[in-house]
Amino acid sequence: MSLDPEMPKLIPYRRLDPSTQPACLYEPYRSTIRRAPAKPLILLPHTLSELTGPLYGHNAIGETDHDLTRQHPGQPLGERIIVAGRVVDDTGRPAPHTLLEIWQTNAAGRYFHVKDNHPAPLDPNFTGAGRTLTDASGFYRFVTIKPGAYPWRNHSNAWRPAHIHFSLFGPAFVTRLITQMYFPADPLLALDPVLQSIPDEKARRRLIARFDLETTEPEWALGYRFDIVLRGRQATPFEK
Ligand SMILES: [Fe+2]
């Protein structure tokens, strides 16, 4: 393909600092043994198709998409919470108009998903999926229900700590990032191989939201602050 000489030069994205990121292979997290690449990774150059891509307009976001407690006729069961924060790059500059999507269990620790057969009740008023765009200062806010812990078959008596899955989508395909947010003071955090697969303790802590009185709304919901840093040594750990 010949590129138009008038076209602005394509600037590749800075790659993630490996010290902030989980290893592809972490044996206590058993499914990484089968899925981790056996050979060294090959870095693909960033070309036009990686550096451009789908752009999401405001129209696609519905009025209740960011509020998972208002997507059905009744109120979901459980503890209502607010999760809010900023998405910034390694220099602290906001990432505006970034699509954030979340998915999570209900308060009983069950996903609204055909493959989840954990014997915990579904909630007819909670699907557990939401999305929003960051504003001009990179700020986002969700209203939801605190998710429950759930068992998984990684090892004997294995339980995932309560968490919310996050996907971030910038302006191009290579800007999609996926991570998980955890809650402070959860005794399961120290036992969770997914979280513990991140080698740097400070990087692990960046996945734990902090209780925030500023985000908390009186008589209504506790607030948690979860800021996301896209690049650099302070980068939020992301899943491969
Ligand atoms: Fe999960």
Side-chain angles (χ1 to χ4, degrees):
M1 181 179 66
S2 66
L3 291 177
D4 180 350
E6 297 295 307
M7 210 173 101
K9 192 167 172 287
L10 292 171
I11 300 167
Y13 292 101
R14 281 191 296 278
R15 298 181 191 265
L16 288 165
D17 183 328
S19 70
T20 65
Q21 301 300 311
C24 289
L25 174 64
Y26 182 69
E27 286 187 6
Y29 181 1
R30 274 178 31 199
S31 49
T32 67
I33 297 171
R34 276 194 290 178
R35 72 173 179 226
K39 296 188 175 165
L41 298 180
I42 297 167
L43 285 183
L44 293 176
H46 289 160
T47 64
L48 187 65
S49 55
E50 284 82 31
L51 297 173
T52 60
L55 291 169
Y56 294 94
H58 294 266
N59 294 344
I61 305 282
E63 204 242 319
T64 60
D65 283 8
H66 75 286
D67 186 343
L68 288 71
T69 69
R70 290 199 293 128
Q71 296 174 347
H72 296 276
Q75 298 251 4
L77 293 172
E79 183 186 341
R80 187 189 302 118
I81 60 170
I82 298 160
V83 177
R86 285 181 81 213
V87 182
V88 296
D89 70 12
D90 49 348
T91 63
R93 269 188 315 208
H97 315 303
T98 296
L99 179 72
L100 267 75
E101 298 167 294
I102 60 169
W103 61 100
Q104 63 166 92
T105 70
N106 65 21
R110 177 135 179 211
Y111 284 105
F112 184 78
H113 192 279
V114 67
K115 290 237 165 119
D116 188 346
N117 51 18
H118 171 34
L122 285 168
D123 183 340
N125 290 312
F126 193 74
T127 308
R131 58 188 188 146
T132 192
L133 289 173
T134 57
D135 68 12
S137 59
F139 188 78
Y140 75 89
R141 179 176 175 275
F142 287 106
V143 181
T144 185
I145 292 292
K146 192 168 184 188
Y150 61 82
W152 61 317
R153 298 196 179 105
N154 185 68
H155 53 275
S156 161
N157 211 4
W159 291 78
R160 292 295 330 277
H163 58 275
I164 299 177
H165 296 269
F166 273 71
S167 161
L168 291 88
F169 224 138
F173 283 119
V174 290
T175 58
R176 188 176 188 209
L177 296 165
I178 296 175
T179 193
Q180 298 184 31
M181 184 207 98
Y182 299 89
F183 291 86
D186 185 335
L188 292 171
L189 294 176
L191 306 174
D192 182 45
V194 178
L195 179 62
Q196 298 303 325
S197 68
I198 301 158
D200 179 14
E201 202 254 328
K202 285 203 194 100
R204 290 201 293 275
R205 266 194 264 139
R206 294 201 283 275
L207 290 185
I208 303 168
R210 68 179 163 80
F211 168 68
D212 184 29
L213 208 51
E214 295 270 300
T215 303
T216 297
E217 295 202 8
E219 318 289 326
W220 197 65
L222 292 186
Y224 290 89
R225 179 86 186 194
F226 183 55
D227 294 321
I228 296 166
V229 180
L230 298 175
R231 303 282 159 188
R233 293 205 63 81
Q234 299 301 314
T236 302
F238 296 101
E239 294 173 13
K240 299 225 166 45

